[in-house]
Amino acid sequence: MIAVRPMRAGDHARVAEIWHEGWHDAHDGLVPDALSRLRTPDAFRKAVPKLTRPVRVGLTEGGIGGFVAWQDDGIDYLFLARAVRGTGLAQALMARAEAEIAAAGHTVARIDHVEGNARAARFYAREGWRRIGHEDERWPETGDSIGGWRSILLEKRL
């Protein structure tokens, strides 16, 4: 069973766990170590209640297994717990986000992933996303440029 629903306040702790685990799986070794060190479990626990964009959680028989969040036409976060990767949950979450973005009047959706994240690149390609460019990222806390960290920009017609 796979279902998708809006995130509730009681979901925050589990979403933070998934976000922490998934963020490190997707980014460690590809972004500066100093940035990875800032991404602690507590940092994610504090961030989840502050999300101001739509967030949907994906449910499996074991409970919440992932989440997706977006703003306007841009998907900001798509993370799954390791135990549910490959189950179809990512596709269900992505489909929900795409449908809601389209329902808001957008004809194109956008997403990015850190360069070197081969798992994300394969997933997005299978789901019909196409690469449109790249962006050199900046240190989130100061805005300073940090070499060697690049995001791949993707889009999909809805």
Side-chain angles (χ1 to χ4, degrees), residues 72-114:
D72 300 321
D73 66 348
I75 298 174
D76 295 317
Y77 310 114
L78 174 65
F79 289 101
L80 271 68
R82 289 180 194 125
V84 299
R85 293 177 191 160
T87 65
L89 185 60
Q91 289 88 345
L93 286 165
M94 183 64 78
R96 174 63 68 87
E98 291 171 7
E100 291 194 39
I101 290 168
H106 300 283
T107 58
V108 175
R110 292 178 174 72
I111 197 166
D112 65 70
H113 67 84
V114 68

mmCIF file of all heavy atoms in Angstrom, residues 72-114:
data_model
loop_
_atom_site.group_PDB
_atom_site.id
_atom_site.type_symbol
_atom_site.label_atom_id
_atom_site.label_comp_id
_atom_site.label_asym_id
_atom_site.label_seq_id
_atom_site.Cartn_x
_atom_site.Cartn_y
_atom_site.Cartn_z
ATOM 1 N N ASP A 72 5.757 27.145 -5.577
ATOM 2 C CA ASP A 72 5.442 27.595 -6.931
ATOM 3 C C ASP A 72 5.667 26.435 -7.905
ATOM 4 O O ASP A 72 5.043 25.401 -7.762
ATOM 5 C CB ASP A 72 6.235 28.853 -7.300
ATOM 6 C CG ASP A 72 5.942 30.013 -6.357
ATOM 7 O OD1 ASP A 72 4.772 30.187 -5.970
ATOM 8 O OD2 ASP A 72 6.892 30.722 -5.973
ATOM 9 N N ASP A 73 6.592 26.598 -8.863
ATOM 10 C CA ASP A 73 6.828 25.526 -9.846
ATOM 11 C C ASP A 73 8.084 24.716 -9.534
ATOM 12 O O ASP A 73 8.504 23.879 -10.329
ATOM 13 C CB ASP A 73 6.926 26.100 -11.261
ATOM 14 C CG ASP A 73 8.156 26.994 -11.460
ATOM 15 O OD1 ASP A 73 8.815 27.362 -10.461
ATOM 16 O OD2 ASP A 73 8.455 27.321 -12.616
ATOM 17 N N GLY A 74 8.693 24.940 -8.378
ATOM 18 C CA GLY A 74 9.952 24.283 -8.054
ATOM 19 C C GLY A 74 9.828 23.281 -6.930
ATOM 20 O O GLY A 74 9.364 23.612 -5.835
ATOM 21 N N ILE A 75 10.227 22.044 -7.203
ATOM 22 C CA ILE A 75 10.265 21.020 -6.166
ATOM 23 C C ILE A 75 11.562 21.215 -5.396
ATOM 24 O O ILE A 75 12.648 21.171 -5.966
ATOM 25 C CB ILE A 75 10.158 19.610 -6.771
ATOM 26 C CG1 ILE A 75 8.802 19.477 -7.485
ATOM 27 C CG2 ILE A 75 10.335 18.542 -5.691
ATOM 28 C CD1 ILE A 75 8.623 18.194 -8.254
ATOM 29 N N ASP A 76 11.431 21.448 -4.110
ATOM 30 C CA ASP A 76 12.583 21.741 -3.270
ATOM 31 C C ASP A 76 13.177 20.494 -2.628
ATOM 32 O O ASP A 76 14.389 20.395 -2.469
ATOM 33 C CB ASP A 76 12.190 22.714 -2.154
ATOM 34 C CG ASP A 76 11.781 24.071 -2.690
ATOM 35 O OD1 ASP A 76 12.456 24.574 -3.601
ATOM 36 O OD2 ASP A 76 10.790 24.627 -2.192
ATOM 37 N N TYR A 77 12.325 19.573 -2.199
ATOM 38 C CA TYR A 77 12.797 18.411 -1.453
ATOM 39 C C TYR A 77 12.023 17.169 -1.876
ATOM 40 O O TYR A 77 10.798 17.189 -1.961
ATOM 41 C CB TYR A 77 12.597 18.600 0.057
ATOM 42 C CG TYR A 77 13.111 19.907 0.587
ATOM 43 C CD1 TYR A 77 12.249 20.867 1.095
ATOM 44 C CD2 TYR A 77 14.470 20.192 0.578
ATOM 45 C CE1 TYR A 77 12.720 22.076 1.590
ATOM 46 C CE2 TYR A 77 14.952 21.392 1.066
ATOM 47 C CZ TYR A 77 14.071 22.326 1.571
ATOM 48 O OH TYR A 77 14.550 23.515 2.053
ATOM 49 N N LEU A 78 12.751 16.097 -2.089
ATOM 50 C CA LEU A 78 12.177 14.771 -2.293
ATOM 51 C C LEU A 78 13.138 13.796 -1.636
ATOM 52 O O LEU A 78 14.256 13.599 -2.130
ATOM 53 C CB LEU A 78 12.010 14.439 -3.778
ATOM 54 C CG LEU A 78 11.539 13.015 -4.090
ATOM 55 C CD1 LEU A 78 10.135 12.770 -3.562
ATOM 56 C CD2 LEU A 78 11.597 12.758 -5.590
ATOM 57 N N PHE A 79 12.738 13.244 -0.508
ATOM 58 C CA PHE A 79 13.609 12.340 0.236
ATOM 59 C C PHE A 79 12.822 11.122 0.689
ATOM 60 O O PHE A 79 11.654 11.244 1.089
ATOM 61 C CB PHE A 79 14.217 13.048 1.458
ATOM 62 C CG PHE A 79 15.248 14.080 1.093
ATOM 63 C CD1 PHE A 79 14.935 15.429 1.094
ATOM 64 C CD2 PHE A 79 16.533 13.699 0.735
ATOM 65 C CE1 PHE A 79 15.886 16.381 0.757
ATOM 66 C CE2 PHE A 79 17.494 14.644 0.398
ATOM 67 C CZ PHE A 79 17.169 15.980 0.403
ATOM 68 N N LEU A 80 13.486 9.976 0.640
ATOM 69 C CA LEU A 80 12.900 8.722 1.094
ATOM 70 C C LEU A 80 13.815 8.052 2.096
ATOM 71 O O LEU A 80 15.041 8.168 2.005
ATOM 72 C CB LEU A 80 12.731 7.755 -0.084
ATOM 73 C CG LEU A 80 11.408 7.841 -0.838
ATOM 74 C CD1 LEU A 80 11.303 9.131 -1.588
ATOM 75 C CD2 LEU A 80 11.247 6.673 -1.751
ATOM 76 N N ALA A 81 13.208 7.319 3.019
ATOM 77 C CA ALA A 81 13.977 6.473 3.926
ATOM 78 C C ALA A 81 14.615 5.363 3.106
ATOM 79 O O ALA A 81 14.050 4.904 2.104
ATOM 80 C CB ALA A 81 13.059 5.885 4.996
ATOM 81 N N ARG A 82 15.783 4.929 3.507
ATOM 82 C CA ARG A 82 16.493 3.872 2.775
ATOM 83 C C ARG A 82 15.619 2.633 2.582
ATOM 84 O O ARG A 82 15.636 2.006 1.529
ATOM 85 C CB ARG A 82 17.757 3.472 3.517
ATOM 86 C CG ARG A 82 18.839 4.499 3.477
ATOM 87 C CD ARG A 82 20.082 4.027 4.237
ATOM 88 N NE ARG A 82 20.964 5.152 4.451
ATOM 89 C CZ ARG A 82 21.417 5.530 5.624
ATOM 90 N NH1 ARG A 82 21.093 4.849 6.715
ATOM 91 N NH2 ARG A 82 22.196 6.574 5.729
ATOM 92 N N ALA A 83 14.866 2.271 3.607
ATOM 93 C CA ALA A 83 14.090 1.029 3.594
ATOM 94 C C ALA A 83 13.006 1.001 2.526
ATOM 95 O O ALA A 83 12.562 -0.087 2.138
ATOM 96 C CB ALA A 83 13.463 0.792 4.964
ATOM 97 N N VAL A 84 12.580 2.161 2.015
ATOM 98 C CA VAL A 84 11.485 2.167 1.042
ATOM 99 C C VAL A 84 11.926 2.591 -0.353
ATOM 100 O O VAL A 84 11.091 2.700 -1.256
ATOM 101 C CB VAL A 84 10.302 3.044 1.512
ATOM 102 C CG1 VAL A 84 9.728 2.516 2.809
ATOM 103 C CG2 VAL A 84 10.720 4.497 1.641
ATOM 104 N N ARG A 85 13.207 2.803 -0.544
ATOM 105 C CA ARG A 85 13.683 3.155 -1.888
ATOM 106 C C ARG A 85 13.474 1.967 -2.816
ATOM 107 O O ARG A 85 13.705 0.821 -2.442
ATOM 108 C CB ARG A 85 15.150 3.575 -1.835
ATOM 109 C CG ARG A 85 15.319 4.873 -1.066
ATOM 110 C CD ARG A 85 16.765 5.294 -0.926
ATOM 111 N NE ARG A 85 16.863 6.389 0.040
ATOM 112 C CZ ARG A 85 17.961 6.738 0.663
ATOM 113 N NH1 ARG A 85 19.087 6.081 0.427
ATOM 114 N NH2 ARG A 85 17.957 7.734 1.521
ATOM 115 N N GLY A 86 12.994 2.253 -4.007
ATOM 116 C CA GLY A 86 12.740 1.196 -4.978
ATOM 117 C C GLY A 86 11.346 0.583 -4.878
ATOM 118 O O GLY A 86 11.045 -0.369 -5.592
ATOM 119 N N THR A 87 10.488 1.144 -4.025
ATOM 120 C CA THR A 87 9.143 0.586 -3.835
ATOM 121 C C THR A 87 8.071 1.273 -4.671
ATOM 122 O O THR A 87 6.929 0.832 -4.685
ATOM 123 C CB THR A 87 8.718 0.686 -2.365
ATOM 124 O OG1 THR A 87 8.610 2.082 -2.014
ATOM 125 C CG2 THR A 87 9.689 -0.026 -1.438
ATOM 126 N N GLY A 88 8.412 2.368 -5.330
ATOM 127 C CA GLY A 88 7.422 3.162 -6.052
ATOM 128 C C GLY A 88 6.954 4.383 -5.279
ATOM 129 O O GLY A 88 6.192 5.197 -5.799
ATOM 130 N N LEU A 89 7.414 4.517 -4.042
ATOM 131 C CA LEU A 89 6.998 5.659 -3.234
ATOM 132 C C LEU A 89 7.500 6.976 -3.822
ATOM 133 O O LEU A 89 6.765 7.966 -3.836
ATOM 134 C CB LEU A 89 7.463 5.498 -1.788
ATOM 135 C CG LEU A 89 6.982 6.589 -0.822
ATOM 136 C CD1 LEU A 89 5.456 6.649 -0.765
ATOM 137 C CD2 LEU A 89 7.554 6.341 0.564
ATOM 138 N N ALA A 90 8.709 7.001 -4.318
ATOM 139 C CA ALA A 90 9.238 8.242 -4.905
ATOM 140 C C ALA A 90 8.383 8.675 -6.090
ATOM 141 O O ALA A 90 8.075 9.864 -6.243
ATOM 142 C CB ALA A 90 10.690 8.060 -5.330
ATOM 143 N N GLN A 91 7.981 7.732 -6.928
ATOM 144 C CA GLN A 91 7.134 8.061 -8.076
ATOM 145 C C GLN A 91 5.790 8.617 -7.617
ATOM 146 O O GLN A 91 5.273 9.568 -8.208
ATOM 147 C CB GLN A 91 6.911 6.830 -8.967
ATOM 148 C CG GLN A 91 8.131 6.410 -9.727
ATOM 149 C CD GLN A 91 9.028 5.444 -8.947
ATOM 150 O OE1 GLN A 91 8.915 5.263 -7.735
ATOM 151 N NE2 GLN A 91 9.961 4.826 -9.651
ATOM 152 N N ALA A 92 5.219 8.034 -6.565
ATOM 153 C CA ALA A 92 3.931 8.508 -6.055
ATOM 154 C C ALA A 92 4.047 9.929 -5.505
ATOM 155 O O ALA A 92 3.182 10.776 -5.760
ATOM 156 C CB ALA A 92 3.412 7.558 -4.982
ATOM 157 N N LEU A 93 5.106 10.193 -4.754
ATOM 158 C CA LEU A 93 5.314 11.536 -4.221
ATOM 159 C C LEU A 93 5.539 12.542 -5.339
ATOM 160 O O LEU A 93 4.972 13.644 -5.323
ATOM 161 C CB LEU A 93 6.495 11.537 -3.249
ATOM 162 C CG LEU A 93 6.243 10.897 -1.894
ATOM 163 C CD1 LEU A 93 7.554 10.621 -1.171
ATOM 164 C CD2 LEU A 93 5.322 11.769 -1.047
ATOM 165 N N MET A 94 6.367 12.178 -6.309
ATOM 166 C CA MET A 94 6.643 13.079 -7.428
ATOM 167 C C MET A 94 5.364 13.348 -8.229
ATOM 168 O O MET A 94 5.093 14.491 -8.606
ATOM 169 C CB MET A 94 7.732 12.497 -8.323
ATOM 170 C CG MET A 94 8.133 13.409 -9.458
ATOM 171 S SD MET A 94 8.888 14.956 -8.920
ATOM 172 C CE MET A 94 10.515 14.383 -8.521
ATOM 173 N N ALA A 95 4.578 12.312 -8.471
ATOM 174 C CA ALA A 95 3.332 12.491 -9.220
ATOM 175 C C ALA A 95 2.397 13.456 -8.501
ATOM 176 O O ALA A 95 1.744 14.296 -9.128
ATOM 177 C CB ALA A 95 2.657 11.141 -9.447
ATOM 178 N N ARG A 96 2.322 13.345 -7.178
ATOM 179 C CA ARG A 96 1.453 14.257 -6.417
ATOM 180 C C ARG A 96 1.942 15.687 -6.545
ATOM 181 O O ARG A 96 1.163 16.612 -6.777
ATOM 182 C CB ARG A 96 1.395 13.846 -4.957
ATOM 183 C CG ARG A 96 0.644 14.821 -4.057
ATOM 184 C CD ARG A 96 -0.852 14.993 -4.406
ATOM 185 N NE ARG A 96 -1.593 13.813 -4.129
ATOM 186 C CZ ARG A 96 -2.137 13.511 -2.957
ATOM 187 N NH1 ARG A 96 -2.027 14.345 -1.943
ATOM 188 N NH2 ARG A 96 -2.784 12.392 -2.797
ATOM 189 N N ALA A 97 3.244 15.896 -6.366
ATOM 190 C CA ALA A 97 3.789 17.250 -6.480
ATOM 191 C C ALA A 97 3.540 17.812 -7.873
ATOM 192 O O ALA A 97 3.100 18.951 -8.026
ATOM 193 C CB ALA A 97 5.278 17.249 -6.149
ATOM 194 N N GLU A 98 3.811 17.019 -8.902
ATOM 195 C CA GLU A 98 3.594 17.484 -10.274
ATOM 196 C C GLU A 98 2.134 17.846 -10.509
ATOM 197 O O GLU A 98 1.832 18.869 -11.129
ATOM 198 C CB GLU A 98 4.050 16.418 -11.265
ATOM 199 C CG GLU A 98 5.544 16.219 -11.300
ATOM 200 C CD GLU A 98 5.965 15.011 -12.137
ATOM 201 O OE1 GLU A 98 5.100 14.393 -12.815
ATOM 202 O OE2 GLU A 98 7.158 14.676 -12.099
ATOM 203 N N ALA A 99 1.206 17.018 -10.017
ATOM 204 C CA ALA A 99 -0.221 17.286 -10.202
ATOM 205 C C ALA A 99 -0.639 18.572 -9.506
ATOM 206 O O ALA A 99 -1.407 19.376 -10.063
ATOM 207 C CB ALA A 99 -1.043 16.104 -9.685
ATOM 208 N N GLU A 100 -0.129 18.797 -8.305
ATOM 209 C CA GLU A 100 -0.508 20.009 -7.579
ATOM 210 C C GLU A 100 0.139 21.255 -8.183
ATOM 211 O O GLU A 100 -0.466 22.328 -8.195
ATOM 212 C CB GLU A 100 -0.192 19.855 -6.094
ATOM 213 C CG GLU A 100 -1.108 18.825 -5.447
ATOM 214 C CD GLU A 100 -1.100 18.853 -3.942
ATOM 215 O OE1 GLU A 100 -1.050 19.958 -3.346
ATOM 216 O OE2 GLU A 100 -1.169 17.762 -3.341
ATOM 217 N N ILE A 101 1.343 21.116 -8.694
ATOM 218 C CA ILE A 101 1.989 22.236 -9.377
ATOM 219 C C ILE A 101 1.200 22.585 -10.638
ATOM 220 O O ILE A 101 0.939 23.758 -10.916
ATOM 221 C CB ILE A 101 3.462 21.905 -9.688
ATOM 222 C CG1 ILE A 101 4.277 21.872 -8.384
ATOM 223 C CG2 ILE A 101 4.060 22.911 -10.673
ATOM 224 C CD1 ILE A 101 5.675 21.284 -8.539
ATOM 225 N N ALA A 102 0.784 21.576 -11.393
ATOM 226 C CA ALA A 102 -0.020 21.809 -12.600
ATOM 227 C C ALA A 102 -1.372 22.423 -12.241
ATOM 228 O O ALA A 102 -1.843 23.344 -12.916
ATOM 229 C CB ALA A 102 -0.202 20.503 -13.368
ATOM 230 N N ALA A 103 -1.992 21.932 -11.173
ATOM 231 C CA ALA A 103 -3.289 22.468 -10.757
ATOM 232 C C ALA A 103 -3.197 23.941 -10.364
ATOM 233 O O ALA A 103 -4.188 24.671 -10.458
ATOM 234 C CB ALA A 103 -3.851 21.644 -9.597
ATOM 235 N N ALA A 104 -2.013 24.383 -9.954
ATOM 236 C CA ALA A 104 -1.799 25.788 -9.600
ATOM 237 C C ALA A 104 -1.564 26.650 -10.844
ATOM 238 O O ALA A 104 -1.335 27.857 -10.719
ATOM 239 C CB ALA A 104 -0.637 25.915 -8.633
ATOM 240 N N GLY A 105 -1.590 26.025 -12.032
ATOM 241 C CA GLY A 105 -1.473 26.782 -13.278
ATOM 242 C C GLY A 105 -0.113 26.759 -13.945
ATOM 243 O O GLY A 105 0.082 27.408 -14.971
ATOM 244 N N HIS A 106 0.827 26.001 -13.418
ATOM 245 C CA HIS A 106 2.155 25.929 -14.014
ATOM 246 C C HIS A 106 2.170 24.841 -15.090
ATOM 247 O O HIS A 106 1.573 23.775 -14.917
ATOM 248 C CB HIS A 106 3.217 25.627 -12.953
ATOM 249 C CG HIS A 106 3.276 26.659 -11.886
ATOM 250 N ND1 HIS A 106 3.880 27.882 -12.067
ATOM 251 C CD2 HIS A 106 2.782 26.660 -10.620
ATOM 252 C CE1 HIS A 106 3.770 28.595 -10.956
ATOM 253 N NE2 HIS A 106 3.108 27.876 -10.060
ATOM 254 N N THR A 107 2.867 25.105 -16.177
ATOM 255 C CA THR A 107 2.976 24.114 -17.258
ATOM 256 C C THR A 107 4.322 23.414 -17.261
ATOM 257 O O THR A 107 4.511 22.440 -17.974
ATOM 258 C CB THR A 107 2.752 24.778 -18.628
ATOM 259 O OG1 THR A 107 3.718 25.823 -18.808
ATOM 260 C CG2 THR A 107 1.342 25.355 -18.726
ATOM 261 N N VAL A 108 5.243 23.921 -16.464
ATOM 262 C CA VAL A 108 6.573 23.334 -16.340
ATOM 263 C C VAL A 108 6.923 23.296 -14.858
ATOM 264 O O VAL A 108 6.630 24.232 -14.115
ATOM 265 C CB VAL A 108 7.638 24.162 -17.099
ATOM 266 C CG1 VAL A 108 9.036 23.633 -16.868
ATOM 267 C CG2 VAL A 108 7.325 24.200 -18.590
ATOM 268 N N ALA A 109 7.537 22.204 -14.436
ATOM 269 C CA ALA A 109 8.050 22.096 -13.066
ATOM 270 C C ALA A 109 9.570 22.057 -13.131
ATOM 271 O O ALA A 109 10.147 21.632 -14.140
ATOM 272 C CB ALA A 109 7.521 20.833 -12.387
ATOM 273 N N ARG A 110 10.195 22.486 -12.048
ATOM 274 C CA ARG A 110 11.657 22.515 -11.985
ATOM 275 C C ARG A 110 12.137 21.817 -10.722
ATOM 276 O O ARG A 110 11.452 21.811 -9.710
ATOM 277 C CB ARG A 110 12.141 23.953 -12.013
ATOM 278 C CG ARG A 110 11.881 24.616 -13.358
ATOM 279 C CD ARG A 110 12.295 26.070 -13.410
ATOM 280 N NE ARG A 110 12.163 26.614 -14.743
ATOM 281 C CZ ARG A 110 11.023 26.885 -15.360
ATOM 282 N NH1 ARG A 110 9.898 26.633 -14.762
ATOM 283 N NH2 ARG A 110 10.993 27.383 -16.572
ATOM 284 N N ILE A 111 13.334 21.273 -10.821
ATOM 285 C CA ILE A 111 13.984 20.632 -9.678
ATOM 286 C C ILE A 111 15.485 20.672 -9.924
ATOM 287 O O ILE A 111 15.926 20.890 -11.061
ATOM 288 C CB ILE A 111 13.482 19.176 -9.493
ATOM 289 C CG1 ILE A 111 13.822 18.645 -8.108
ATOM 290 C CG2 ILE A 111 14.000 18.260 -10.592
ATOM 291 C CD1 ILE A 111 13.070 17.368 -7.735
ATOM 292 N N ASP A 112 16.265 20.489 -8.894
ATOM 293 C CA ASP A 112 17.712 20.364 -9.078
ATOM 294 C C ASP A 112 18.231 19.282 -8.151
ATOM 295 O O ASP A 112 17.546 18.867 -7.219
ATOM 296 C CB ASP A 112 18.442 21.693 -8.839
ATOM 297 C CG ASP A 112 18.341 22.184 -7.421
ATOM 298 O OD1 ASP A 112 18.958 21.568 -6.525
ATOM 299 O OD2 ASP A 112 17.641 23.189 -7.186
ATOM 300 N N HIS A 113 19.425 18.820 -8.453
ATOM 301 C CA HIS A 113 20.116 17.874 -7.575
ATOM 302 C C HIS A 113 21.602 18.155 -7.644
ATOM 303 O O HIS A 113 22.097 18.735 -8.614
ATOM 304 C CB HIS A 113 19.808 16.406 -7.931
ATOM 305 C CG HIS A 113 20.345 15.952 -9.248
ATOM 306 N ND1 HIS A 113 21.631 15.508 -9.400
ATOM 307 C CD2 HIS A 113 19.761 15.879 -10.468
ATOM 308 C CE1 HIS A 113 21.820 15.167 -10.668
ATOM 309 N NE2 HIS A 113 20.710 15.387 -11.332
ATOM 310 N N VAL A 114 22.298 17.778 -6.602
ATOM 311 C CA VAL A 114 23.727 18.039 -6.545
ATOM 312 C C VAL A 114 24.434 17.200 -7.627
ATOM 313 O O VAL A 114 24.100 16.033 -7.841
ATOM 314 C CB VAL A 114 24.293 17.786 -5.133
ATOM 315 C CG1 VAL A 114 24.260 16.332 -4.758
ATOM 316 C CG2 VAL A 114 25.691 18.337 -4.991
#
